[in-house]
Amino acid sequence: MTKAVSGFSKLSKEEKVQWIAEHHFSNPEQAVAVLKKYWNSDAELQKLHDEFIENTISNFYLPLGVAPNFLINGKNYTIPMAIEESSVVAAASKAAKFWAHRGGFKTTVLGTEKIGQVHFMFPGSFETLHAFFTSITPKLYSETESITKNMQKRGGGILDIELRDKTSELENYYQLHATFETKDSMGANFINSCLEQFAKTLKEEAQKYTAFSDEEKNIQIIMSILSNFVPNCLVRAEVSCPVAELKEDKNISQEEFAEKFVRAVQIAEIEPYRAVTHNKGIMNGIDAVIIASGNDFRAVEAGIHAFASRNGKYTSLSHAKVENGIFTFWMEIPLALGTVGGLTTLHPLVKASLEMLGNPTAEELMQIVAVAGLAQNFAALRSLTTTGIQQGHMKMHLMNILNQFKATEEEKKQVIKYFEKNTVSHSGVVDYLESLRN
Ligand code: MEV
């Protein structure tokens, strides 16, 4: 076992790499070579990446792909997707093309409200606290003015501050529950700065408030932080067409396809085991665009899954129906995104991705991301209810297997040709490759 290291963060990047190679690898020279292979030869670009986080030793690549032909509210988009999973980009492109011929995707932003909370303990009644809160509310706003000034110029700011009594669930626990509009920024820093100022004002004013007992004057601030649960920062994406136009697979009628598709969605609505996988497929599309656009996929994941279980049971994010011969497939999801600030101007590929999307506003990006999720879900359900998922999956996976076994270009050509007519499986590919090599 390796001994603990002290002062690691103070080492130079070169020293860190050497230390890791010597302490964690059987072949240190090879380890250094691998780590360095991914360093960028452009020193300025490398420095930029080194400084995003601490203790950077190398860069970790993800492929950046694009899915063209997304028709959203009549406008055509090419969507950038950063993802390692085979077949996600191909599936998105296929779904985009399919729906582009059937009116495209329709989207609406249903809300853009973000939330933050000051969590604190107060050893008195809600009534006493409420009177105090009412008296200091103007101060909560005025003392955050230096933080909110610029945001207000852009049409955002603090929308509301509410005192919430949580004492029935935890003794003495109250909250300032605040709502914000942060326009094109994700707003995490803005919200957290406002909240920390609220907490300061709350504490200072409590000490001066004569109606409080000495004990009550000592409000205990536990923490101030935004919430990644944003059920009112919501976007809807939808596709629809007559069932008669759903024909795609020669082995299944459009009526049977529509019926099986709606059933598959209903199963995800009632069965959590299926809902998790169903929603995972949606997140394949969402996360890929979130990463490419420099947004925080952990925040988005946490918020969306909380939303999927908002009624006490984990359920499908998407829904489908057939009514009067019309097939409709839709989804409403919470997405707190930014197109300014953060990585958006720092990371050259994020900048390029946003430009590829026409430098969208945060609201536009919410719509594009939701569409990527819905398209991915459509593609997955279409495969699952017709050919099965493995056919497409394994075709894409074939290349990974070939690369794993260091197949030459000639071998690749022959293997791909062979598996055009044969079912792809890991062992099947390995066996065939071996037979070629022998
Ligand atoms: C795989 O990444 C995603 C799927 O499992 C989604 C689904 O089952 O709906 C294919």
Side-chain angles (χ1 to χ4, degrees):
M1 222 173 76
T2 319
K3 275 207 233 122
V5 54
S6 73
F8 183 78
S9 66
K10 306 246 160 38
L11 299 180
S12 70
K13 184 173 165 188
E14 188 77 47
E15 288 166 338
K16 283 174 188 158
V17 168
Q18 290 300 337
W19 186 90
I20 289 163
E22 278 159 28
H23 289 82
H24 292 284
F25 291 87
S26 56
N27 184 342
E29 233 170 78
Q30 195 184 44
V32 171
V34 169
L35 291 171
K36 288 194 174 177
K37 201 172 181 173
Y38 287 86
W39 287 12
N40 201 293
S41 55
D42 178 337
E44 207 181 316
L45 188 75
Q46 187 52 60
K47 190 163 181 298
L48 177 77
H49 284 74
D50 287 349
E51 290 174 0
F52 282 145
I53 60 165
E54 306 76 31
N55 294 343
T56 312
I57 53 166
S58 191
N59 306 305
F60 192 95
Y61 287 180
L62 276 183
L64 177 68
V66 293
N69 301 319
F70 268 99
L71 188 63
I72 307 175
N73 299 336
K75 195 170 154 188
N76 200 49
Y77 291 87
T78 299
I79 300 188
M81 303 177 88
I83 188 158
E84 86 301 345
E85 186 176 329
S86 317
S87 81
V88 166
V89 176
S93 309
K94 220 170 147 194
K97 208 164 159 197
F98 180 92
W99 283 107
H101 294 130
R102 291 160 179 84
F105 293 81
K106 307 279 182 309
T107 57
T108 330
V109 172
L110 302 172
T112 55
E113 181 187 285
K114 313 225 168 104
I115 290 165
Q117 298 169 318
V118 178
H119 306 269
F120 65 96
M121 312 311 275
F122 173 74
S125 73
F126 179 69
E127 288 68 35
T128 318
L129 184 63
H130 195 265
F132 164 69
F133 169 71
T134 309
S135 77
I136 67 155
T137 298
K139 266 219 154 101
L140 291 173
Y141 284 97
S142 64
E143 293 193 349
T144 42
E145 253 163 28
S146 63
I147 309 168
T148 56
K149 210 167 61 199
N150 276 339
M151 187 60 86
Q152 273 166 350
K153 275 193 210 141
R154 285 158 44 201
I158 303 162
L159 301 179
D160 187 40
I161 313 168
E162 190 192 329
L163 174 68
R164 289 196 171 174
D165 181 357
K166 305 293 284 183
T167 54
S168 65
E169 288 166 82
L170 185 65
E171 197 180 14
N172 297 340
Y173 170 37
Y174 295 92
Q175 298 169 344
L176 291 186
H177 181 99
T179 45
F180 301 86
E181 168 57 58
T182 62
K183 301 308 279 183
D184 287 334
S185 65
M186 195 271 187
N189 284 330
F190 169 73
I191 294 173
N192 289 334
S193 297
C194 287
L195 294 171
E196 287 186 4
Q197 181 56 50
F198 293 163
K200 206 165 157 216
T201 306
L202 190 71
K203 188 134 184 84
E204 283 170 3
E205 292 304 313
Q207 260 143 28
K208 295 187 228 155
Y209 192 62
T210 50
F212 277 166
S213 68
D214 282 352
E215 202 196 350
E216 286 170 338
K217 281 185 175 149
N218 270 323
I219 280 182
Q220 187 193 25
I221 306 291
I222 303 296
M223 57 189 164
S224 310
I225 186 74
L226 65 73
S227 172
N228 291 124
F229 184 44
V230 281
N232 295 324
C233 192
L234 204 62
V235 58
R236 180 186 165 94
E238 182 184 304
V239 283
S240 74
C241 73
V243 171
E245 288 175 20
L246 274 179
K247 188 79 178 166
E248 257 285 286
D249 190 307
K250 57 182 180 322
N251 299 316
I252 182 170
S253 75
Q254 47 270 56
E255 287 76 20
E256 193 193 349
F257 170 65
E259 192 196 327
K260 281 183 78 176
F261 192 100
V262 170
R263 283 277 179 249
V265 174
Q266 286 170 340
I267 290 168
E269 284 168 343
I270 62 133
E271 166 55 56
Y273 278 98
R274 175 56 203 150
V276 171
T277 318
H278 177 98
N279 291 347
K280 188 274 181 187
I282 294 173
M283 299 316 292
N284 278 345
I286 291 182
D287 281 342
V289 190
I290 294 290
I291 294 173
S293 67
N295 277 276
D296 179 344
F297 64 93
R298 287 86 55 207
V300 167
E301 284 273 352
I304 289 184
H305 294 297
F307 186 76
S309 46
R310 67 196 177 285
N311 297 322
K313 181 177 167 181
Y314 192 89
T315 182
S316 168
L317 291 161
S318 63
H319 308 281
K321 65 178 180 188
V322 172
E323 253 172 34
N324 305 323
I326 304 290
F327 168 84
T328 310
F329 179 46
W330 74 99
M331 175 171 82
E332 284 176 13
I333 49 161
L335 281 171
L337 304 181
T339 53
V340 298
L343 275 193
T344 55
T345 40
L346 276 181
H347 198 301
L349 283 178
V350 167
K351 243 172 112 174
S353 297
L354 288 171
E355 191 172 341
M356 197 188 302
L357 291 172
N359 289 320
T361 60
E363 288 198 25
E364 267 180 277
L365 186 62
M366 284 167 79
Q367 299 171 70
I368 295 164
V369 170
V371 162
L374 192 73
Q376 210 62 49
N377 194 207
F378 179 79
L381 293 179
R382 186 169 59 167
S383 298
L384 287 168
T385 55
T386 56
T387 56
I389 205 77
Q390 283 311 86
Q391 195 185 77
H393 236 86
M394 290 310 288
K395 279 248 158 70
M396 296 301 294
H397 194 49
L398 181 60
M399 206 41 97
N400 288 347
I401 305 173
L402 289 172
N403 285 333
Q404 191 188 338
F405 285 88
K406 301 204 176 352
T408 63
E409 286 309 309
E410 189 46 43
E411 284 171 342
K412 281 181 185 171
K413 251 195 229 155
Q414 292 192 44
V415 175
I416 290 168
K417 192 159 191 321
Y418 175 79
F419 282 100
E420 272 167 12
K421 294 209 181 82
N422 293 281
T423 309
V424 180
S425 71
H426 193 276
S427 57
V429 176
V430 176
D431 288 350
Y432 187 68
L433 198 56
E434 264 174 16
S435 74
L436 283 181
R437 286 174 176 178
N438 292 328

